[in-house]
Amino acid sequence: MLSESTTLDDSEREQLFRILLLVSKKLASVWKHKLDFQRIEAHLIDECKPRDKTSPVFTIETSQDLVLEFDEFLVQVKSELDYLVKLPIPILGRMTWNLRTFGDKGEAVMKVLRRNLGKSRKPQVDGIQKMLFDQSREWLQATIHARDKINHYIDGGISFEDFAVFCHPESGALHRPMWSPDQTVSAFLDVIWTNLFRFTEDFTAMFLFFRHKPGLTMYHGEASMDSMKSPWVYVPESVFNEVTKQPGWRLVD
């Protein structure tokens, strides 16, 4: 829908749609692995029983399925980002945009933008840096570092014991996979999924803005993960000026 307010021709819009479809399939794969992890964990929690304290034996059974789903989730996140960086091709053209992978936690995207776009595009490029990549740096670094740990054994890899569900032998307290002392792996997946979805949406809208029709501008309204409607809106510049006069709006320098 946003592409209808751009100067993309039919061929460019077709190419954009096909790339978006592939990106969407990758998002669906990320979502599936998140749900499968949480489904398996919930089943293990239901099966968890306190230890019989009359028995001297206490065993901890780790879940290979949880490790696999966590691994696949992270792999598909990186793959989705690699697909996403192909999106600017029909917008900017192959001569301007030739990035092959997401690379360097997104820094490669900004390097290509600053190197290949002229000075007239600098305000838009600065906006992408500040509103998209600066705000996403923390979760992108955490996600890619997690993937490197499990796939490349960086920093000693991950501990398979962490992917166990059991009741503590003394207190009977439930142990479930933890990403940090105060965050479960399940919650970590939820955070990454939410941020990835929003990042994909914002990335798409911000790059489409390079080809917006004269007299139009774009703003980001209220965002809700429960809504099927994009928070990004194209409006005439006169309408934009009136909207941003309302309380609650601020200029991002």
Side-chain angles (χ1 to χ4, degrees), residues 5-8 88 90-93 96-97 109-110 113-114 116-118 120-129 203-214 218 234:
S5 298
T6 68
T7 59
L8 295 173
I91 299 171
L92 301 175
T96 299
W97 193 264
V109 174
M110 293 309 306
L113 279 175
R114 297 197 183 282
N116 295 0
L117 271 64
S120 63
R121 299 288 195 178
K122 187 178 184 302
Q124 290 166 273
V125 173
D126 289 344
I128 290 175
Q129 174 75 67
F203 184 100
T204 303
M206 288 182 180
F207 272 88
L208 281 173
F209 191 62
F210 283 113
R211 295 286 298 275
H212 70 88
K213 291 179 178 178
M218 183 175 61
Y234 268 114

Side-chain angles (χ1 to χ4, degrees), residues 6-250:
T6 68
T7 59
L8 295 173
D9 61 29
D10 290 343
S11 175
E12 291 168 332
R13 289 184 64 188
E14 172 68 15
Q15 187 180 10
L16 176 76
F17 173 78
R18 296 182 72 85
I19 296 173
L20 275 175
L21 185 60
L22 293 173
V23 169
S24 298
K25 289 180 181 294
K26 283 295 179 180
L27 280 173
S29 182
V30 174
W31 173 257
K32 177 182 181 299
H33 288 298
K34 182 183 84 74
L35 288 188
D36 285 347
F37 180 98
Q38 293 168 338
R39 173 182 55 79
I40 293 167
E41 183 190 45
H43 174 73
L44 292 173
I45 290 174
D46 287 342
E47 295 292 314
C48 184
K49 297 178 181 179
R51 172 197 175 194
D52 180 3
K53 294 186 178 181
T54 64
S55 171
V57 179
F58 172 64
T59 60
I60 297 178
E61 183 175 346
T62 60
S63 173
Q64 176 72 0
D65 288 336
L66 289 181
V67 176
L68 291 176
E69 293 301 336
F70 182 67
D71 183 17
E72 284 300 321
F73 174 90
L74 295 172
V75 168
Q76 292 303 317
V77 168
K78 179 57 168 62
S79 181
E80 192 269 357
L81 292 170
D82 287 339
Y83 273 62
L84 186 62
V85 295
K86 304 299 183 183
L87 193 71
I89 293 174
I91 299 171
L92 301 175
R94 290 186 179 275
M95 296 298 293
T96 299
W97 193 264
N98 56 6
L99 194 60
R100 298 183 62 184
T101 64
F102 191 69
D104 196 21
K105 302 178 180 65
E107 290 300 319
V109 174
M110 293 309 306
K111 287 179 182 177
V112 172
L113 279 175
R114 297 197 183 282
R115 183 179 67 237
N116 295 0
L117 271 64
K119 292 182 179 179
S120 63
R121 299 288 195 178
K122 187 178 184 302
Q124 290 166 273
V125 173
D126 289 344
I128 290 175
Q129 174 75 67
K130 183 161 292 187
M131 296 179 64
L132 187 63
F133 285 96
D134 287 353
Q135 293 187 23
S136 301
R137 184 175 292 111
E138 186 175 344
W139 76 264
L140 280 172
Q141 289 179 344
T143 305
I144 295 173
H145 181 63
R147 174 184 170 273
D148 289 343
K149 286 185 68 173
I150 197 170
N151 282 275
H152 304 301
Y153 206 66
I154 301 297
D155 294 340
I158 64 168
S159 172
F160 61 84
E161 291 93 345
D162 290 339
F163 288 83
V165 175
F166 63 92
C167 292
H168 192 277
E170 300 300 330
S171 66
L174 175 69
H175 175 278
R176 55 189 295 194
M178 301 294 293
W179 180 245
S180 67
D182 57 354
Q183 185 182 47
T184 65
V185 172
S186 179
F188 176 71
L189 299 186
D190 282 334
V191 169
I192 298 307
W193 161 255
T194 300
N195 281 289
L196 177 68
F197 189 93
R198 288 175 174 164
F199 182 87
T200 300
E201 188 169 46
D202 293 347
F203 184 100
T204 303
M206 288 182 180
F207 272 88
L208 281 173
F209 191 62
F210 283 113
R211 295 286 298 275
H212 70 88
K213 291 179 178 178
L216 294 180
T217 191
M218 183 175 61
Y219 70 88
H220 189 286
E222 293 185 7
S224 171
M225 290 295 291
D226 298 328
S227 174
M228 295 293 290
K229 186 178 180 180
S230 171
W232 287 97
V233 182
Y234 268 114
V235 294
E237 292 179 353
S238 59
V239 174
F240 174 78
N241 292 333
E242 290 301 317
V243 169
T244 53
K245 288 179 183 178
Q246 304 302 314
W249 287 90
R250 65 185 178 88

